[in-house]
Amino acid sequence: MKQICNLWYILIFLLISGCSQLEKAEDLISGLSEKEKYQREQKISDELFSLWESRIQKALNDSIEVEMPYTEAGNLKPKSFSIYSYQAYLKPGEILNTNFKTDTSSTLIFTEIYRRNKQTKKFEQVLKPKSDGSISYEVEENGLYKVIFQPEIEAHTPFTIQLSILPAYQFPVSGGNNADIGSYWGDIRDGGSRDHEGIDIFADRGTPVIATTSGRIGYSGEKGLGGKQVWLRDSKRSQSIYYAHLDSIVPNLNSVKTGDTLGFVGNTGNAKTTPPHLHFGIYRRNTGAIDPLGFVYKTETLESAIPKENEIAQQLRVISTKANLRNKAAASNSKIMKTARNGELLFVQGKTADWYHVRDSLDRSMYVHESLVSPNI
């Protein structure tokens, strides 16, 4: 009863504060999604809204795959019901960054993320729709992920899409990079009696080893196969970071910040016969060792300028005898989804490098090389 009374006091206060505040309270109480708020604010009919929202199922059925980083540019037209869907294999520790940029800040781009269930093979939502094309999502479980962008119904603007991956942690060896990783998760150890539960990063003896994230030190000292070692607790992710084979350790370690020096590269413990390197591992509560590569692997980002209005064709015709339409913007390591014939009409979603992202007359999303098509004027 007390909670009911408190709720009425809040509503009365918001009524006094104004209608906009009341609408926010209604959203909070009714649990409206961002898409439902969009429908109400724009006074979109249920029929039109249902037609627009049904495009999500089409996107879930699309099988376009991309490799990061990825960029695409194009033009949005009102009531075209465009939907953009991209899937990629991601692993724990990777942060997926999405950016759907338009030339107007008022255009709404709804972004949502799905992961394929390993048992049912169906995509399940892991991030509810956000009315912002720019989001960051940290991956907690490896698998096939799908990003879906859905522009608002009346969107009319050129755009660029940028997809990239960043590691959740800073690289653990000062001045190091991906090329310094010489041994990976799962590599055979001791003649096959065990697998490698981490990665080895090679560097000169005495190179600083740094805290990849802020946290507290659980243990530092010398013992066992790891020799001189440091355990850094990451309470945010409920996991511990393991640094092994150090030449020496900074004394009196307690709480540290990202970038603080923990020790120096060496080959203590069972690494005495190998060149100096850091064994870097991650152990998660109730799971044990996990592959740490995604947490530290450095990746690049690509920039792409927003095209001018109608700079990219809206329709194409196949000009070759036949044209292979693929699930990736590449001739190699891609699947042929369809072979289009001369004169066939294709509808442009966007363009990435020398490939068009298109849909055919059956609304299937694919890529076709620019040499096989010509703008339909």
Side-chain angles (χ1 to χ4, degrees):
M1 179 62 75
K2 184 178 179 180
Q3 291 179 336
I4 294 175
C5 291
N6 288 339
L7 182 58
W8 277 111
Y9 287 142
I10 293 172
L11 288 174
I12 292 172
F13 171 77
L14 291 173
L15 276 169
I16 297 173
S17 301
C19 293
S20 62
Q21 293 295 326
L22 180 58
E23 288 180 351
K24 292 180 181 179
E26 290 174 346
D27 291 348
L28 182 64
I29 296 168
S30 62
L32 289 179
S33 68
E34 292 202 21
K35 285 188 173 181
E36 290 168 335
K37 294 175 190 176
Y38 161 64
Q39 180 190 13
R40 187 189 64 186
E41 291 168 1
Q42 299 298 319
K43 297 180 174 58
I44 301 171
S45 69
D46 290 341
E47 293 77 13
L48 184 60
F49 183 77
S50 295
L51 179 62
W52 175 75
E53 201 171 37
S54 68
R55 297 292 291 166
I56 290 296
Q57 190 55 52
K58 169 58 66 177
L60 289 173
N61 291 333
D62 287 338
S63 55
I64 286 293
E65 293 186 20
V66 296
E67 294 184 0
M68 309 293 181
Y70 176 84
T71 65
E72 181 176 324
N75 290 279
L76 299 176
K77 298 297 183 182
K79 292 186 176 63
S80 61
F81 296 98
S82 297
I83 192 89
Y84 294 82
S85 172
Y86 308 93
Q87 57 191 44
Y89 287 91
L90 304 176
K91 50 185 174 288
E94 294 180 330
I95 298 177
L96 172 63
N97 290 311
T98 76
N99 191 6
F100 196 115
K101 297 192 300 184
T102 66
D103 65 356
T104 169
S105 59
S106 61
T107 301
L108 297 178
I109 305 295
F110 294 90
T111 308
E112 47 197 290
I113 300 177
Y114 293 76
R115 181 181 65 242
R116 189 173 67 176
N117 185 296
K118 294 177 182 178
Q119 281 71 47
T120 66
K121 306 302 181 182
K122 294 182 179 180
F123 282 95
E124 299 174 348
Q125 191 178 73
V126 294
L127 182 70
K128 293 182 179 180
K130 304 288 184 183
S131 57
D132 185 351
S134 300
I135 61 171
S136 291
Y137 175 80
E138 183 172 334
V139 177
E140 296 182 359
E141 182 180 335
N142 68 318
L144 183 63
Y145 286 75
K146 186 183 289 283
V147 182
I148 297 177
F149 298 106
Q150 186 170 28
E152 62 173 289
I153 296 171
E154 295 297 335
H156 186 190
T157 175
F159 72 87
T160 59
I161 293 172
Q162 296 172 321
L163 297 174
S164 62
I165 292 174
L166 293 177
Y169 289 162
Q170 189 169 321
F171 203 78
V173 175
S174 179
N177 55 52
N178 300 336
D180 298 321
I181 302 173
S183 181
Y184 292 85
W185 170 270
D187 286 352
I188 294 174
R189 289 289 186 271
D190 295 338
S193 63
R194 64 184 180 91
D195 293 335
H196 194 212
E197 293 187 340
I199 58 174
D200 290 340
I201 303 170
F202 290 81
D204 293 337
R205 185 183 304 277
T207 302
V209 170
I210 62 174
T212 59
T213 188
S214 299
R216 61 177 178 81
I217 302 301
Y219 171 83
S220 64
E222 185 170 8
K223 64 178 181 180
L225 300 179
K228 293 180 181 179
Q229 58 194 257
V230 174
W231 288 81
L232 172 60
R233 180 65 179 166
D234 178 2
S235 58
K236 177 183 176 182
R237 299 174 179 86
S238 297
Q239 58 195 28
S240 293
I241 305 166
Y242 176 51
Y243 302 80
H245 309 315
L246 302 181
D247 190 61
S248 61
I249 300 171
V250 173
N252 303 317
L253 290 173
N254 190 0
S255 294
V256 296
K257 295 181 179 179
T258 303
D260 287 350
T261 299
L262 304 179
F264 302 90
V265 171
N267 62 343
T268 57
N270 70 341
K272 291 180 180 179
T273 60
T274 66
H277 68 274
L278 169 70
H279 171 88
F280 181 81
I282 296 177
Y283 291 79
R284 182 168 289 173
R285 182 183 297 173
N286 301 323
T287 302
I290 63 172
D291 186 354
L293 187 63
F295 286 88
V296 297
Y297 197 83
K298 298 179 179 180
T299 57
E300 62 178 327
T301 58
L302 296 176
E303 293 295 328
S304 179
I306 295 178
K308 296 179 181 179
E309 181 77 17
N310 298 322
E311 182 178 337
I312 297 175
Q314 295 298 294
Q315 295 182 354
L316 303 170
R317 282 201 180 274
V318 175
I319 57 174
S320 60
T321 304
K322 62 179 183 178
N324 289 330
L325 277 62
R326 301 174 180 270
N327 70 325
K328 293 182 179 180
S332 61
N333 194 30
S334 63
K335 295 179 181 179
I336 297 175
M337 301 178 66
K338 171 184 176 177
T339 299
R341 302 301 175 184
N342 182 273
E344 183 169 340
L345 186 64
L346 302 172
F347 305 91
V348 177
Q349 293 269 96
K351 196 168 189 285
T352 175
D354 50 1
W355 292 81
Y356 281 101
H357 180 190
V358 300
R359 287 187 180 273
D360 67 358
S361 59
L362 297 179
D363 205 14
R364 293 175 293 189
S365 182
M366 295 166 281
Y367 290 103
V368 62
H369 195 268
E370 63 180 5
S371 64
L372 305 175
V373 293
S374 177
N376 183 44
I377 299 175

